[in-house]
Amino acid sequence: MERLVIEGGTPLRGRLRVTGAKNSSLAVIAAAALASDVSVIENVPRCQDVLTLLEILRSLGAQAEMSDTGRLELDGAGLTGHVAAYDLCRRMRASIYMAGMLLARLGRAEVPLPGGCVIGSRPVDFHIRGFEALGAQVVTEHGFLKAHAQHLVPATFYVPRSSVGTTINLLLAASRTAGVTTLQNAAREPEVVDTAVFLSLMGARVRGAGTSTVTVEGTADLRGATYAIIPDRIEAGTYLIAGAATHGDVLIEGLISEHVTALLTKLTDAGVTVEADAAGVRARADADLRPIDVDTAPYPGFATDLHPQVAAMLATVAGRSVIRETIFEKRFGYVDELRRMGAEIRVDGDTAIITGVPHLSGAPVDAVDIRAGAAMVIAGLQARGETAIANLENLDRGYERLEDKLRGLGARLQRVRV
Ligand code: EPU
């Protein structure tokens, strides 16, 4: 077992470059497997979720080689298996993309109901309704989603709750389906756009990605493509918040600033000095911060994947801050852990009410999910004394070389075996 041990109290200062977006990579890799030739994808993070997805694809017959610099070559030629392995899929939500990919590529898919972060019930009913709209027959039995279709047919489908995963899964399936499919109320996240751009390079005609109506003219003749993944706005946001929380000064190089507008607006409201230009995005906290109110929302709103991190920052901001979570009902797993460190947080329904304390104190805590783990890191960096974070597999699912990057900003931390 490993722990991440952090000695708090050092302001983070410096610059860093984030990896390609984890959630784009998972979708783009699934898209690459729609073709029976080679795609080359750059900027892929070596985080555990990506490695798990590559294992799933290898077990289905694809070949995947990833370099240390994040260059992935994926060859879908040998992909013939239509049953995805339970032991791999249960580890992450994005394994559900195998359903859209296999259904479109092989006409049948058996994919375990996915696992992933324990942040809400996270059903797949929207995905199933979407596949049915495309003409598939779908059942869930014995813990698997089983779908088949002789031929998928184009359709118009209203995506409930502008679900990111549903939008991506249907983009995958529709891209290999002859005719024009229209997705209404599609998710507008940059990761959806990234996937759409890649599918267009493969030969599908995707229009409107980034708006709530996306049309896809699919073709059975998808080819492999070469592409570079966009920078990870959630990883970047995590380091920007960590910089602000420690009263430091952090520049994220190469980040696309409009991907983090909602975060930068809230940081500015809190008294952080923010600069965004062609070089990247810089956040500097010279003075005491002010409490803020945050509502999470689908893009371009404030990302739910930055909620726990911002809560960790606000835990030591004098006054009363409020975070309302509108996407995942159980995103509050981090609250008990922050309380161990002395935070004063009350949860009332979908809302966390945070009363800032003068300082947090280091403690043993758990990374209960990916972003809750990131919140523990931010709390540990600000705390007095030593924080030892357990369940690092959750952090490793989403963050590549976290310790190296933080050390480069001056943090004092190390991973120890216990
Ligand atoms: N939902 C349903 N039924 C469905 C699908 C979704 O009820 O069939 C609900 C969900 O329970 C949730 C809402 O719809 O309340 C939105 O969920 P969405 O489908 O958008 O989320 P997702 O695709 O499962 C992705 C990211 C998450 C991120 C959310 C929201 C990936 C692999 N995961 O999840 O990322 O929080 O979108 O932006 O892209 C993370 O990276 O740590 C992470 C959890």
Side-chain angles (χ1 to χ4, degrees), residues 19-21 24-25 28-29 39-46 65-74 194 198 225-231:
T19 61
S24 275
S25 301
V28 167
I29 292 168
S39 286
V40 177
I41 308 163
E42 311 264 4
N43 259 356
V44 178
R46 282 190 79 83
E65 280 302 322
M66 177 125 141
S67 77
D68 287 343
T69 56
R71 182 176 193 273
L72 171 70
E73 273 189 45
L74 189 107
D194 220 22
F198 181 72
T226 297
Y227 192 59
I229 301 287
I230 54 167

Side-chain angles (χ1 to χ4, degrees), residues 22-23 26 93-94 97 119 122-127 161 163-166 189 304-305 327-328 331 370-371:
K22 166 184 78 90
N23 289 343
L26 296 168
R93 175 81 179 168
Y97 295 155
I119 53 181
R122 304 189 80 182
V124 291
D125 50 332
F126 304 163
H127 299 247
R161 292 201 63 184
S163 153
V164 174
T166 309
E189 270 67 3
T304 177
D305 287 344
I327 313 288
F328 291 116
R331 184 117 238 183
I370 302 178
R371 309 305 171 187

Side-chain angles (χ1 to χ4, degrees), residues 3 75 94 151 229 298 328 339 365 377 406:
R3 298 269 190 280
D75 185 351
H151 298 288
I229 301 287
F328 291 116
R339 281 196 192 123
V365 289
V377 172
L406 284 172

Side-chain angles (χ1 to χ4, degrees), residues 385-404:
E386 192 177 279
T387 297
I389 305 175
N391 276 351
L392 296 185
E393 58 280 5
N394 276 330
L395 262 176
D396 293 340
R397 284 185 51 207
Y399 290 90
E400 180 200 83
R401 297 193 308 106
L402 175 95
E403 296 101 283
D404 289 350

Side-chain angles (χ1 to χ4, degrees), residues 241-262:
I241 295 168
T246 58
H247 291 268
D249 184 354
V250 169
L251 169 70
I252 309 291
E253 293 172 334
L255 176 62
I256 301 165
S257 63
E258 57 263 38
H259 288 175
V260 287
T261 303

Side-chain angles (χ1 to χ4, degrees), residues 4 16 74-76 99 132 152 158 169 172 193 208 220 245 255 304 361 371 378:
L4 186 63
L16 67 85
L74 189 107
D75 185 351
E132 285 172 343
L152 291 176
Y158 181 89
N169 232 341
L172 298 178
V193 179
L255 176 62
T304 177
S361 57
R371 309 305 171 187
I378 292 170

Side-chain angles (χ1 to χ4, degrees), residues 60-391:
L60 296 172
Q63 288 184 6
E65 280 302 322
M66 177 125 141
S67 77
D68 287 343
T69 56
R71 182 176 193 273
L72 171 70
E73 273 189 45
L74 189 107
D75 185 351
L79 190 143
T80 51
H82 73 282
V83 184
Y86 169 74
D87 279 336
L88 295 169
C89 292
R90 73 183 177 84
R91 296 185 205 159
M92 64 170 187
R93 175 81 179 168
S95 55
I96 194 68
Y97 295 155
M98 297 298 94
M101 183 276 289
L102 289 168
L103 186 58
R105 172 98 192 254
L106 304 175
R108 55 190 182 151
E110 293 188 19
V111 176
L113 296 169
C117 286
V118 189
I119 53 181
S121 56
R122 304 189 80 182
V124 291
D125 50 332
F126 304 163
H127 299 247
I128 292 172
R129 274 190 250 160
F131 295 146
E132 285 172 343
L134 293 178
Q137 268 150 31
V138 190
V139 291
T140 52
E141 56 184 19
H142 308 299
F144 276 67
L145 181 159
K146 299 181 179 176
H148 72 95
Q150 289 284 18
H151 298 288
L152 291 176
V153 291
T156 293
F157 181 71
Y158 181 89
V159 180
R161 292 201 63 184
S162 90
S163 153
V164 174
T166 309
T167 304
I168 288 175
N169 232 341
L170 295 179
L171 277 178
L172 298 178
S175 289
R176 227 175 179 276
T177 302
V180 177
T181 290
T182 302
L183 302 179
Q184 293 173 343
N185 196 38
R188 292 178 289 162
E189 270 67 3
E191 294 76 14
V192 171
V193 179
D194 220 22
T195 312
V197 173
F198 181 72
L199 286 164
S200 300
L201 291 172
M202 293 181 77
R205 289 167 140 254
V206 188
R207 302 273 181 274
T211 74
S212 54
T213 302
V214 181
T215 59
V216 187
E217 193 178 334
T219 167
D221 196 23
L222 291 179
R223 305 170 300 273
T226 297
Y227 192 59
I229 301 287
I230 54 167
D232 194 317
R233 65 194 169 102
I234 305 300
E235 186 195 11
T238 300
Y239 292 119
L240 289 170
I241 295 168
T246 58
H247 291 268
D249 184 354
V250 169
L251 169 70
I252 309 291
E253 293 172 334
L255 176 62
I256 301 165
S257 63
E258 57 263 38
H259 288 175
V260 287
T261 303
L263 170 67
L264 298 185
T265 305
K266 286 298 171 186
L267 288 178
T268 305
D269 290 351
V272 179
T273 306
V274 169
E275 290 163 22
D277 57 28
V281 177
R282 180 176 175 191
R284 196 171 82 237
D286 302 320
D288 284 346
L289 299 183
R290 296 185 288 270
I292 50 172
D293 288 1
V294 176
D295 283 9
T296 66
Y299 189 82
F302 191 96
T304 177
D305 287 344
L306 291 171
H307 158 175
Q309 299 91 314
V310 95
M313 178 186 91
L314 294 171
T316 57
V317 172
R320 182 174 175 274
S321 293
V322 176
I323 305 181
R324 194 164 74 89
E325 172 60 48
T326 70
I327 313 288
F328 291 116
E329 71 271 22
K330 289 193 192 138
R331 184 117 238 183
F332 297 102
Y334 69 88
V335 169
D336 282 345
E337 303 305 304
L338 281 185
R339 281 196 192 123
R340 289 177 199 277
M341 300 177 70
E344 282 184 26
I345 306 179
R346 187 164 61 80
V347 178
D348 184 2
D350 63 359
T351 302
I353 299 130
I354 304 169
T355 305
V357 294
H359 63 86
L360 296 175
S361 57
V365 289
D366 253 26
V368 296
D369 62 63
I370 302 178
R371 309 305 171 187
M376 293 309 121
V377 172
I378 292 170
L381 290 167
Q382 315 170 58
R384 290 189 180 166
E386 192 177 279
T387 297
I389 305 175
N391 276 351

